[in-house]
Structures are given as C-alpha cells and as structure tokens.
Amino acid sequence: MPRYLRLMDSLIASGHSRVSSSEIGEKLGFTPSQVRQDFSNFGEFGQQGYGYNVKALREQIAGILGTDRGYKAVLLGVGHIGRALMGNFCFSEWGFNLVHAFDVDSTKIGTEYRGVAISDMKELDSYLQSNPVDVAVLTVPKDVAVEVARHLSTCGVRAIWNFTNVELFEPGTDVIVENMHFSDSLLSLGYFISERQDEEEKQKK
Amino acid sequence: MPRYLRLMDSLIASGHSRVSSSEIGEKLGFTPSQVRQDFSNFGEFGQQGYGYNVKALREQIAGILGTDRGYKAVLLGVGHIGRALMGNFCFSEWGFNLVHAFDVDSTKIGTEYRGVAISDMKELDSYLQSNPVDVAVLTVPKDVAVEVARHLSTCGVRAIWNFTNVELFEPGTDVIVENMHFSDSLLSLGYFISERQDEEEKQKK
DNA sequence: TAGATTGTTAATCGATTAACAATC
DNA sequence: TAGATTGTTAATCGATTAACAATC
C-alpha cells in the first residue's frame, strides 16, 4: 500500500491524471489482477473502461493508510540516526507529529534541533505522564536498546519504531514493535546479488 | 533468515548452547514447523531429540546469508543518514566493505569520516572504472535520487541500497534495488496502531 | 529403553493469477 | 455501438501448519 501511495505521488508530479491497473502493475512489478484486488478490498475506486483517477486514488490510499491521524511521537537518542530523522524525515507527511526528543548527553539536553526540544532522558517518565504519546522512535545505541524498550513498554507507549538493529521482545507483549533493521535489508541485498551471480554463471554454461 | 541470525547472536551472548525449534518459534513468533522447514531447505542442521546447537546453527545461517562475501560498496551523499551509516553501522559484520564515499559539498570533499575518504561526486565515474564495486548506498537528497540512480545503473553497479524514500525504477532493469523506505515502515506502524485501537473498541462493546 | 525433537510428507490455508461478465 | 478496463468469481499456486515416522 505505501508503494501505491508513492507511485501516485510521482504520477501526480509528472502530470498524469489517469492510470490503469496494468500501468500500475507494470511500474511496481505486480500483475494487474493483484492491483485491482488490492484496491477492491477497500472499495470501488475505479471506473470500467477508464481506469483510476490518480488524484482520487491517491486520497483513497492516503485515507486507508491513515496519513491524517496525527499520532504523537517522541524520539529517544539524538545520535546520527536520530538527527537524520529529525532533520530530513517529514513525520507530518505520514500522519505523525514528533513532539519531543530525549538524550543522555548533557551538551544536547536543553537545546533543540529543527524545532524539536531535547530533554534529559531522566525526564521521560514525567513527560509521558503529562503528555501521553503513541509512538517512541528508538534511536539509542545498541547496548541500551533492550533496557530502554522494556522501560517504554511500562509507560503507556503504544508502539516502538525500532532503529537499533536489536530484536526487541518475545511476542505476547502488547506494545507494537516496527523494526527498521538496516542489517536485514543489507543481508537481503547480498542474497539477491549472489543469486543473480549464480544465474549468470548458469547462463554461461 | 536475518532474524534467525540475530536471535542466535543474542542466544550466544546469553550463554545458551542448545535450542529447539519450539523455542526459536516462540521467541520470533513462528510455529515450530515453520522454523524446521526454513532450516531444512538448506540442509540438516539439527539432531533429533536434542534440537539445534546454537553456535553451529549461527554459522550455518551466516553462511547461507553470505556474511563473508566481502562485497564492495560506495556511499553517495554524506548527509545525516550517510554519516549515520558510516559511523554506526558495521558493514563488515554483514559481509560488506565500505570503500569510499562521495558528496557534492566542497567542505566535505577531500576529508574523511570514520576512516572512509570522501571525494567529489564528479569523480564517481572514474573511481568506479578503476575500482569496480558491487553496491551503491544511496543517501542523497530526494530530489536528485532518480537522476543519480539512473546514472549508477550505467556504471556497472550491481545493486543500489536505497535510503531516499523514492520509488526508483520500473522493474526490468538489471540493477537490484533494495529499499529502506522509512515512510513505509512508519505507515505500517500507524496501520497497526489503528487496528489495535479498533480491536480495543470492539472489546468494550 | 523412554523421552524428546528433528526432517519430511500430507493437509490446510491464504494469496496470487486468470478469466469474464458488468459497464463506462 | 465498440473498445477498454473495472470488480469479482473461480482456478492455481505457494506457503504455512499439522502430523508422524525416524532417530538421537
């Protein structure tokens, strides 16, 4: 679904107003059938003989994905990745609102970065009590990841967006964990490369 | 598979030497059947009545994922995310070797960061000709992403690790693209939260 | 030997694809 | 009306799960 949204945005940018399931499928590597079925799960967005209206479809998808929900988020750990997110990632575009950041480094505490205030990690609890948030963005160092995550799960946070490359908990906990494991992605990449290599060698024979 | 690898590492760290498919499944949210089938695709790593030897299994998985392949990589765009990767991400741990970085900013060109030299983006072509690499890590700003990626696909790069949150090409190109789309992940997170909310409201009734 | 747990085969389930009537 | 393309139903495929014989 997010990929559809991104495609619609790029189609809008390039001035297309109309698109068929076959065109979408071709761009994204799906079959036309799959595209139509994906959409028809949520309603009837197209028109026979015409296709889909790009702008209307974009709004439908955005609605399904809930890009207007305004969930609140705090960020824990203003290191490289933390700053990368604070600086270059547009939370609001995706329905989130980054309201505060926390760190343990005294040179960062009390400052703000790109309009987001940075407080002492020690104040996290009291902050969350008066300002409940939905999501914690976990960009702390690897070695404190589990500890901080455990703590978070007792603070009423609904979900953790995990950038630490650490496997967080056994399932069963009621906190949602969404992982951004760079290493997983890179390993897949390596796997694809070696697969491709194998194919090429076969073809030579 | 990467998740199995991470789990093995954490089991080794906590001193476990033996593990059963049920234990693995429980930790990772799979059924024991699935775990056994995943492994048996690649060989027989376990022993009836005993389970799996954690260290041996770790090495098998590492071998399957190819964490020792030593693929070469260059990084394009030494911004926040670029530096986050150069500084905190251990490429070598996952079988990759980050050999060089490129940027357009003259204050960065000629310097190095965490032992990786940064050159002018203009020199990319000539560099690649004398030093062929397997992977390009794409951490450039959104608006030049497509352009740079197009260019890369003509330079003999096998794969692109894409951090730009932009949909790169139509399938059919022979360059492998592995996406690290932060927004996709965050949208999924939002979707899970709202799903959870719906469930909770149903239970109230 | 008895208990445990694998590897594998068979059964189930869901997701993808193909086909086609509906209709713009 | 003819052509195009949807939404949906049926067929196919693959992946997950369950079951169980093999065996440590």
Side-chain angles (χ1 to χ4, degrees), chain A residues 2-3 5-7 10 25-30 42 64-67 69 71 79-81 83-85 87-89 91 93-96 113-114 134-135 142 158-161 163 165-167 169-171 173-197 200, chain B residues 2-3 5-7 10 25-30 42 64-67 69 71 79-81 83-85 87-89 91 93-96 113-114 134-135 142 158-161 163 165-167 169-171 173-197 200:
Chain A
R3 298 192 61 199
L5 184 60
R6 254 202 318 283
L7 179 62
S10 75
E26 201 184 334
K27 295 268 185 195
L28 258 35
F30 306 145
F42 296 100
I64 292 161
L65 290 170
T67 58
R69 282 190 282 246
Y71 288 131
H80 287 293
I81 304 179
R83 273 195 297 261
L85 285 168
N88 298 318
F89 185 76
F91 282 88
E93 192 180 341
W94 312 105
F96 290 79
Y113 186 75
R114 303 285 175 111
D134 305 286
V135 181
K142 244 181 150 74
R158 288 163 175 278
I160 295 175
W161 196 21
F163 281 79
N165 199 38
V166 167
E167 200 71 37
F169 330 97
E170 49 279 32
T173 323
D174 60 348
V175 175
I176 298 160
V177 177
E178 173 70 24
N179 294 303
M180 282 296 300
H181 287 325
F182 292 4
S183 57
D184 287 15
S185 172
L186 190 58
L187 285 169
S188 308
L189 185 67
Y191 189 78
F192 289 134
I193 294 178
S194 73
E195 228 176 20
R196 182 68 58 88
Q197 246 168 351
E200 280 164 15
Chain B
R3 298 191 61 197
L5 184 60
R6 253 202 319 281
L7 179 63
S10 75
E26 201 183 333
K27 295 268 185 195
L28 258 33
F30 305 146
F42 296 100
I64 292 161
L65 290 170
T67 58
R69 280 192 283 246
Y71 288 131
H80 287 294
I81 304 177
R83 272 195 296 261
L85 286 167
N88 298 318
F89 186 77
F91 282 88
E93 192 179 342
W94 312 106
F96 289 79
Y113 186 76
R114 304 285 175 112
D134 304 286
V135 180
K142 244 182 150 74
R158 287 164 175 278
I160 295 174
W161 197 20
F163 282 79
N165 200 36
V166 166
E167 199 72 36
F169 331 96
E170 50 280 31
T173 322
D174 60 348
V175 175
I176 297 160
V177 177
E178 172 72 23
N179 294 304
M180 281 297 299
H181 286 326
F182 292 4
S183 57
D184 286 16
S185 172
L186 190 59
L187 284 170
S188 308
L189 185 68
Y191 190 76
F192 289 134
I193 295 177
S194 74
E195 227 176 20
R196 183 67 59 86
Q197 245 168 353
E200 280 164 13

Side-chain angles (χ1 to χ4, degrees), chain A residues 5-181:
Chain A
L5 184 60
R6 254 202 318 283
L7 179 62
M8 290 310 121
D9 282 336
S10 75
L11 287 175
I12 290 170
S14 59
H16 293 77
S17 66
R18 179 190 146 176
V19 69
S20 72
S21 55
S22 348
E23 286 163 339
I24 297 173
E26 201 184 334
K27 295 268 185 195
L28 258 35
F30 306 145
T31 63
S33 282
Q34 186 169 321
V35 174
R36 291 206 296 280
Q37 199 137 72
D38 283 345
F39 294 155
S40 77
N41 285 331
F42 296 100
E44 308 190 357
F45 306 151
Q47 207 169 66
Q48 284 98 331
Y50 174 85
Y52 300 87
N53 177 292
V54 174
K55 280 190 183 172
L57 185 56
R58 197 241 172 250
E59 291 314 309
Q60 291 286 356
I61 299 170
I64 292 161
L65 290 170
T67 58
D68 53 357
R69 282 190 282 246
Y71 288 131
K72 283 186 182 173
V74 290
L75 185 141
L76 308 179
V78 189
H80 287 293
I81 304 179
R83 273 195 297 261
L85 285 168
M86 292 166 82
N88 298 318
F89 185 76
C90 185
F91 282 88
S92 61
E93 192 180 341
W94 312 105
F96 290 79
N97 191 4
L98 183 62
V99 293
H100 214 98
F102 295 87
D103 202 290
V104 293
D105 181 349
S106 59
T107 66
K108 291 172 190 162
I109 293 166
T111 66
E112 64 174 52
Y113 186 75
R114 303 285 175 111
V116 179
I118 304 169
S119 296
D120 193 332
M121 195 77 95
K122 285 176 193 154
E123 292 168 25
L124 178 62
D125 280 25
S126 63
Y127 179 90
L128 289 179
Q129 268 169 18
S130 38
N131 307 277
V133 304
D134 305 286
V135 181
V137 183
L138 196 65
T139 49
V140 298
K142 244 181 150 74
D143 47 313
V144 294
V146 173
E147 181 192 335
V148 177
R150 281 264 152 76
H151 181 71
L152 278 170
S153 65
T154 67
C155 293
V157 167
R158 288 163 175 278
I160 295 175
W161 196 21
N162 176 30
F163 281 79
T164 65
N165 199 38
V166 167
E167 200 71 37
L168 281 185
F169 330 97
E170 49 279 32
T173 323
D174 60 348
V175 175
I176 298 160
V177 177
E178 173 70 24
N179 294 303
M180 282 296 300
H181 287 325

Side-chain angles (χ1 to χ4, degrees), chain B:
Chain B
M1 273 296 164
R3 298 191 61 197
Y4 289 126
L5 184 60
R6 253 202 319 281
L7 179 63
M8 290 311 121
D9 282 337
S10 75
L11 288 175
I12 290 170
S14 58
H16 294 77
S17 67
R18 179 190 145 176
V19 69
S20 72
S21 56
S22 349
E23 286 163 338
I24 297 174
E26 201 183 333
K27 295 268 185 195
L28 258 33
F30 305 146
T31 62
S33 281
Q34 186 170 321
V35 174
R36 291 205 296 280
Q37 199 138 72
D38 283 346
F39 294 156
S40 76
N41 285 331
F42 296 100
E44 307 191 358
F45 306 151
Q47 205 168 66
Q48 283 98 330
Y50 174 85
Y52 299 87
N53 176 294
V54 174
K55 280 190 184 175
L57 185 56
R58 197 241 172 250
E59 291 313 308
Q60 291 286 357
I61 298 169
I64 292 161
L65 290 170
T67 58
D68 52 358
R69 280 192 283 246
Y71 288 131
K72 283 186 182 172
V74 291
L75 185 143
L76 308 179
V78 189
H80 287 294
I81 304 177
R83 272 195 296 261
L85 286 167
M86 291 165 83
N88 298 318
F89 186 77
C90 186
F91 282 88
S92 60
E93 192 179 342
W94 312 106
F96 289 79
N97 191 4
L98 184 62
V99 292
H100 215 98
F102 295 86
D103 203 291
V104 292
D105 181 348
S106 59
T107 65
K108 291 172 191 163
I109 293 167
T111 65
E112 64 174 52
Y113 186 76
R114 304 285 175 112
V116 178
I118 303 170
S119 296
D120 193 332
M121 195 77 96
K122 285 175 192 154
E123 292 168 27
L124 178 62
D125 281 26
S126 64
Y127 179 90
L128 289 179
Q129 266 168 18
S130 37
N131 306 278
V133 304
D134 304 286
V135 180
V137 183
L138 196 65
T139 49
V140 299
K142 244 182 150 74
D143 46 313
V144 294
V146 174
E147 181 191 336
V148 177
R150 281 265 152 77
H151 181 69
L152 278 170
S153 65
T154 67
C155 292
V157 168
R158 287 164 175 278
I160 295 174
W161 197 20
N162 176 29
F163 282 79
T164 65
N165 200 36
V166 166
E167 199 72 36
L168 281 186
F169 331 96
E170 50 280 31
T173 322
D174 60 348
V175 175
I176 297 160
V177 177
E178 172 72 23
N179 294 304
M180 281 297 299
H181 286 326
F182 292 4
S183 57
D184 286 16
S185 172
L186 190 59
L187 284 170
S188 308
L189 185 68
Y191 190 76
F192 289 134
I193 295 177
S194 74
E195 227 176 20
R196 183 67 59 86
Q197 245 168 353
D198 291 350
E199 277 170 30
E200 280 164 13
E201 273 162 31
K202 266 187 194 167
Q203 284 190 341
K204 275 183 193 167
K205 283 176 193 173

